[in-house]
Amino acid sequence: MVFKMKIIGFGKGIPARCVSNDDIAQFLDTSDEWIFTRTGIKTRYVCTTETLTDLSVTAANGALEDAKLNPDDIDLIICATLGGDYGTPSLSCCIAEGIGAKCPCFDVNAACTGFIYALELASGFISSGKAKNVLIVSAEMMSAKTDWSDRNTCVLFGDGAAGCVVTAGNAVKYINLSSAAMPNSTVLNMPNGTGNSPFTKEQKSSGFLHMQGQEVFKFVVNIVESELKLVQERTGLSPAQIDLFLLHQANKRIIDFTGAKLKQPPEKFPCNIQRYGNLSSASIPLLLFETVKSGQIKPGDTLLLCAFGAGLTAGTCVIVWE
Amino acid sequence: MLEKVTDILREHKGDSELQITLKTEFADLELDSLEMVELVMNVEEEFDVSIEMNEGIKTVGDLINTVEAAR
């Protein structure tokens, strides 16, 4: 399988308000030490007046500028998100409106794995000649989805958007999507409500994000190991030949434990969870953006992106950076 | 099996003198919930079994019984 794709520009949109662990300890029975030792998180950014569209448009404009493209150059917008500012229109349509693009748009919801799903979709459009330049934006407002009276979940997440433009090229070597790698809707979910239909027999209101952390931890470690075996079978690349592992930023402890299981040194696992918390689908593109811009990723480096999330879904991508 | 679990716990805690019996409670070893997963996953690998996370696993004996039931 040839993916014929490369990333040519990045952008990000982060809320202005930075919330520290101490800020949260003002209204919850928790502490900086408790949160940091269990998650590796020190701060996260949370929307106050910004909408998710605001963050997404900022990320999209940044990616266009970085790629030296105009909105007219974009043939498709794919947005990875758990949900935008509206049930409909999609967040991708709001982005198109915000940047002044007139192209097909759609959202994809694969939870924290969304960015890898979006890459796979973009490669299909590019390979088939249906699109030349695809704008991908991953954007999440997790602060609206977590229960701020539950210290086990609300401390983990943050808000933010990260985007990139992809076009024809040879950098992307491999993508694998493990849709419902372990079908299980109970360990990680966020229930929708039933509305006010007079016909429903069981009225349900929408609920907050719910997670069985220990089960998710096990799933992640196992799925990363099995995804890496697949990479080795299909591309011949062993973990030792991968220069950097960009894992979904769910929890620093999970990343550390996974690295140890893979017998790879910690410096091969760049992290930004300390500053941003878990940004769901936006974690990996933001980490890739920052790692490229900081110079930590150099041309010729072999990168492994691996995301995992509710579903449970997982996705892996190998890129040789150009 | 107790010997192997003791080795895993000693390595995890970085304490080669750690004394472990079947009655040792994980709470007394000050393992947090994520360390419990790490322990269970290391035990799974050692004995080639799959164990569901279970709040009933409170002592080393509970863990060993769970592994034996899963074999």
Side-chain angles (χ1 to χ4, degrees), chain B residues 23-39:
Chain B
K23 289 186 178 161
T24 302
E25 295 198 10
F26 296 116
D28 293 336
L29 296 174
E30 296 182 333
L31 296 183
D32 69 25
S33 64
L34 297 183
E35 287 176 297
M36 272 305 291
V37 188
E38 293 170 8
L39 170 67

Side-chain angles (χ1 to χ4, degrees), chain A residues 257-321:
Chain A
F257 188 71
T258 304
K261 280 263 175 210
L262 297 171
K263 299 183 174 60
Q264 295 300 305
E267 51 273 21
K268 284 174 101 173
F269 295 79
C271 285
N272 62 9
I273 189 171
Q274 180 166 349
R275 277 184 296 144
Y276 295 108
N278 178 346
L279 294 177
S280 186
S281 70
S283 277
I284 283 190
L286 182 62
L287 181 63
L288 181 59
F289 175 17
E290 294 190 337
T291 318
V292 166
K293 297 300 175 190
S294 71
Q296 195 178 350
I297 292 175
K298 292 176 276 302
D301 280 351
T302 300
L303 316 176
L304 181 121
L305 281 50
C306 187
F308 32 79
L312 298 158
T313 57
T316 303
C317 175
V318 175
I319 300 176
V320 176
W321 198 251

Side-chain angles (χ1 to χ4, degrees), chain A residues 38 214-215 218 253 261, chain B residues 32-34 44-45 51:
Chain A
R38 282 165 181 76
Q214 290 185 321
E215 287 300 329
K218 279 186 76 177
R253 292 266 299 273
K261 280 263 175 210
Chain B
D32 69 25
S33 64
L34 297 183
E44 284 181 331
E45 190 175 0
I51 303 171

Side-chain angles (χ1 to χ4, degrees), chain A:
Chain A
M1 178 96 193
V2 180
F3 292 95
K4 294 184 180 171
M5 191 168 70
K6 66 179 175 182
I7 297 174
I8 55 168
F10 287 105
K12 63 180 175 180
I14 304 298
R17 176 75 161 96
C18 181
V19 175
S20 68
N21 293 341
D22 286 333
D23 291 336
I24 294 176
Q26 300 282 318
F27 60 89
L28 273 184
D29 178 19
T30 190
S31 68
D32 177 50
E33 192 264 341
W34 194 94
I35 297 170
F36 184 69
T37 55
R38 282 165 181 76
T39 68
I41 299 166
K42 279 281 187 188
T43 59
R44 72 287 291 145
Y45 292 82
V46 174
C47 290
T48 52
T49 57
E50 304 94 340
T51 65
L52 196 51
T53 301
D54 293 337
L55 303 183
S56 306
V57 168
T58 303
N61 280 326
L64 285 179
E65 193 180 327
D66 194 30
K68 299 180 178 61
L69 292 177
N70 296 311
D72 289 346
D73 299 322
I74 298 297
D75 305 305
L76 175 70
I77 301 173
I78 304 174
C79 184
T81 183
L82 296 177
D85 293 321
Y86 304 99
T88 192
S90 69
L91 183 54
S92 56
C93 286
C94 298
I95 295 168
E97 184 182 22
I99 66 173
K102 294 186 179 69
C103 62
C105 310
F106 60 85
D107 289 0
V108 53
N109 178 353
C112 303
T113 316
F115 181 69
I116 310 291
Y117 273 65
L119 281 177
E120 171 89 298
L121 287 162
S123 93
F125 277 85
I126 291 169
S127 301
S128 70
K130 294 279 266 184
K132 182 169 177 241
N133 300 310
V134 179
L135 172 64
I136 297 175
V137 179
S138 294
E140 307 286 6
M141 195 189 287
M142 300 307 293
S143 63
K145 296 175 168 53
T146 50
D147 178 355
W148 286 87
S149 65
D150 175 12
R151 66 176 187 174
N152 290 318
T153 53
C154 73
V155 303
L156 301 173
F157 297 94
D159 300 338
C164 64
V165 178
V166 293
T167 193
N170 293 309
V172 175
K173 303 296 183 192
Y174 169 92
I175 301 176
N176 181 58
L177 303 181
S178 300
S179 173
M182 185 180 93
N184 190 332
S185 58
T186 57
V187 299
L188 180 51
N189 66 36
M190 192 176 63
N192 280 332
T194 49
N196 69 348
S197 162
F199 301 104
T200 184
K201 298 288 185 201
E202 198 183 352
Q203 205 90 39
K204 282 185 198 153
S205 50
S206 57
F208 293 115
L209 186 137
H210 159 84
M211 180 164 64
Q212 294 172 17
Q214 290 185 321
E215 287 300 329
V216 173
F217 190 132
K218 279 186 76 177
F219 163 71
V220 170
V221 176
N222 287 328
I223 196 76
V224 175
E225 278 189 298
S226 66
E227 285 288 309
L228 274 164
K229 275 187 195 140
L230 272 184
V231 168
Q232 189 153 10
E233 278 170 33
R234 294 177 183 174
T235 70
L237 276 175
S238 69
Q241 291 170 297
I242 292 163
D243 295 302
L244 289 174
F245 295 83
L246 285 84
L247 303 189
H248 169 52
Q249 303 286 291
N251 184 319
K252 181 71 164 55
R253 292 266 299 273
I254 296 182
I255 295 168
D256 290 347
F257 188 71
T258 304
K261 280 263 175 210
L262 297 171
K263 299 183 174 60
Q264 295 300 305
E267 51 273 21
K268 284 174 101 173
F269 295 79
C271 285
N272 62 9
I273 189 171
Q274 180 166 349
R275 277 184 296 144
Y276 295 108
N278 178 346
L279 294 177
S280 186
S281 70
S283 277
I284 283 190
L286 182 62
L287 181 63
L288 181 59
F289 175 17
E290 294 190 337
T291 318
V292 166
K293 297 300 175 190
S294 71
Q296 195 178 350
I297 292 175
K298 292 176 276 302
D301 280 351
T302 300
L303 316 176
L304 181 121
L305 281 50
C306 187
F308 32 79
L312 298 158
T313 57
T316 303
C317 175
V318 175
I319 300 176
V320 176
W321 198 251
E322 292 184 344

